[in-house]
Coordinates of all heavy atoms in Angstrom, one line a residue:
A18 N -42.9 31.0 -3.3 CA -43.0 32.4 -3.3 C -41.7 33.0 -3.8 O -40.6 32.5 -3.6 CB -43.4 32.9 -1.9
R27 N -29.7 32.1 -2.6 CA -28.6 32.5 -1.8 C -28.1 31.4 -0.9 O -26.9 31.2 -0.8 CB -29.1 33.7 -0.9 CG -28.0 34.3 0.0 CD -27.1 35.2 -0.8 NE -25.7 34.8 -0.8 CZ -24.7 35.6 -1.1 NH1 -24.9 36.8 -1.5 NH2 -23.5 35.1 -1.1
P38 N -16.6 21.1 -3.8 CA -17.6 20.5 -4.7 C -18.6 19.6 -3.9 O -18.2 18.9 -3.1 CB -16.7 19.7 -5.7 CG -15.3 20.2 -5.5 CD -15.2 20.7 -4.1
A45 N -29.3 19.3 -1.1 CA -30.7 19.2 -0.6 C -30.7 18.8 0.9 O -31.4 19.4 1.7 CB -31.5 18.2 -1.4
R47 N -28.3 19.2 3.1 CA -27.6 20.2 4.0 C -28.4 21.5 4.2 O -28.3 22.2 5.2 CB -26.2 20.5 3.6 CG -25.3 19.2 3.6 CD -23.9 19.5 3.3 NE -23.1 18.3 3.2 CZ -21.8 18.3 3.0 NH1 -21.1 19.4 3.0 NH2 -21.2 17.1 2.9
Q52 N -35.2 18.5 -3.4 CA -34.3 18.1 -4.5 C -34.8 18.7 -5.8 O -34.0 19.1 -6.7 CB -34.2 16.6 -4.7 CG -33.5 15.9 -3.5 CD -33.2 14.4 -3.8 OE1 -32.9 14.0 -4.9 NE2 -33.4 13.6 -2.8
A53 N -36.1 18.8 -6.0 CA -36.6 19.4 -7.2 C -36.2 20.9 -7.3 O -35.8 21.4 -8.4 CB -38.2 19.3 -7.3
L67 N -22.3 31.1 -12.7 CA -21.8 31.3 -11.4 C -21.2 30.0 -10.8 O -20.3 30.0 -9.9 CB -22.9 31.7 -10.4 CG -23.5 33.1 -10.7 CD1 -24.5 33.5 -9.7 CD2 -22.4 34.2 -10.7
A73 N -17.3 13.8 -10.1 CA -16.9 13.5 -8.7 C -15.8 12.4 -8.7 O -15.8 11.6 -9.6 CB -18.1 13.1 -7.9
G100 N -9.7 43.0 -2.9 CA -10.0 43.3 -1.5 C -8.8 44.2 -1.0 O -7.7 43.9 -1.3
R106 N 0.0 52.0 8.4 CA 1.2 52.4 7.7 C 1.2 51.8 6.3 O 2.2 52.1 5.6 CB 2.4 52.1 8.5 CG 2.6 52.8 9.8 CD 3.7 52.2 10.6 NE 3.4 50.9 11.1 CZ 2.8 50.7 12.2 NH1 2.3 51.7 13.0 NH2 2.5 49.5 12.6
H123 N -0.6 42.2 -3.2 CA 0.3 43.4 -3.3 C 0.2 44.2 -2.0 O -0.9 44.4 -1.5 CB -0.1 44.3 -4.5 CG 0.7 45.5 -4.6 ND1 2.0 45.5 -5.1 CD2 0.4 46.8 -4.3 CE1 2.4 46.8 -5.1 NE2 1.5 47.6 -4.7
L141 N -5.3 54.6 -3.6 CA -5.8 53.2 -3.8 C -5.8 52.9 -5.3 O -5.4 51.8 -5.7 CB -7.2 53.1 -3.2 CG -7.8 51.7 -3.0 CD1 -8.9 51.8 -2.0 CD2 -8.3 51.0 -4.2
R248 N -24.4 43.5 12.0 CA -23.8 44.8 11.9 C -24.6 45.8 12.8 O -24.2 46.9 13.0 CB -23.8 45.3 10.5 CG -22.8 44.6 9.6 CD -22.7 45.3 8.2 NE -21.7 44.8 7.4 CZ -21.9 43.8 6.5 NH1 -23.1 43.3 6.4 NH2 -20.9 43.4 5.8
P298 N 13.4 53.4 24.8 CA 14.1 53.6 23.5 C 13.1 54.0 22.4 O 11.9 53.8 22.5 CB 14.7 52.3 23.1 CG 14.7 51.5 24.4 CD 13.6 52.0 25.2
A302 N 8.7 51.7 14.0 CA 7.4 52.0 13.5 C 6.5 50.8 13.4 O 5.3 50.8 13.5 CB 7.5 52.7 12.2
I347 N -14.5 32.3 20.3 CA -13.9 33.7 20.2 C -12.5 33.6 19.6 O -11.7 32.8 20.1 CB -13.9 34.5 21.5 CG1 -15.3 34.7 22.0 CG2 -13.1 35.8 21.3 CD1 -15.3 35.5 23.3
R403 N -21.2 40.6 -2.4 CA -22.0 41.6 -3.0 C -22.2 41.4 -4.5 O -23.2 41.6 -5.1 CB -21.4 43.0 -2.8 CG -21.3 43.4 -1.3 CD -22.6 43.4 -0.6 NE -23.5 44.4 -1.2 CZ -23.6 45.7 -0.7 NH1 -22.9 46.1 0.3 NH2 -24.4 46.5 -1.3
L407 N -25.7 40.7 -6.7 CA -26.1 41.3 -8.0 C -26.5 40.3 -9.0 O -27.4 40.4 -9.8 CB -25.0 42.3 -8.4 CG -24.7 43.5 -7.6 CD1 -23.5 44.3 -8.2 CD2 -26.0 44.4 -7.5
A414 N -34.7 39.0 -11.7 CA -35.4 39.9 -12.6 C -35.7 39.2 -13.9 O -36.7 39.4 -14.5 CB -34.4 41.1 -12.9

Side-chain angles (χ1 to χ4, degrees):
R27 180 81 241 194
R47 295 188 191 186
Q52 290 190 39
L67 298 180
R106 294 171 293 273
H123 177 75
L141 200 159
R248 290 191 174 91
I347 293 181
R403 299 300 298 266
L407 293 176

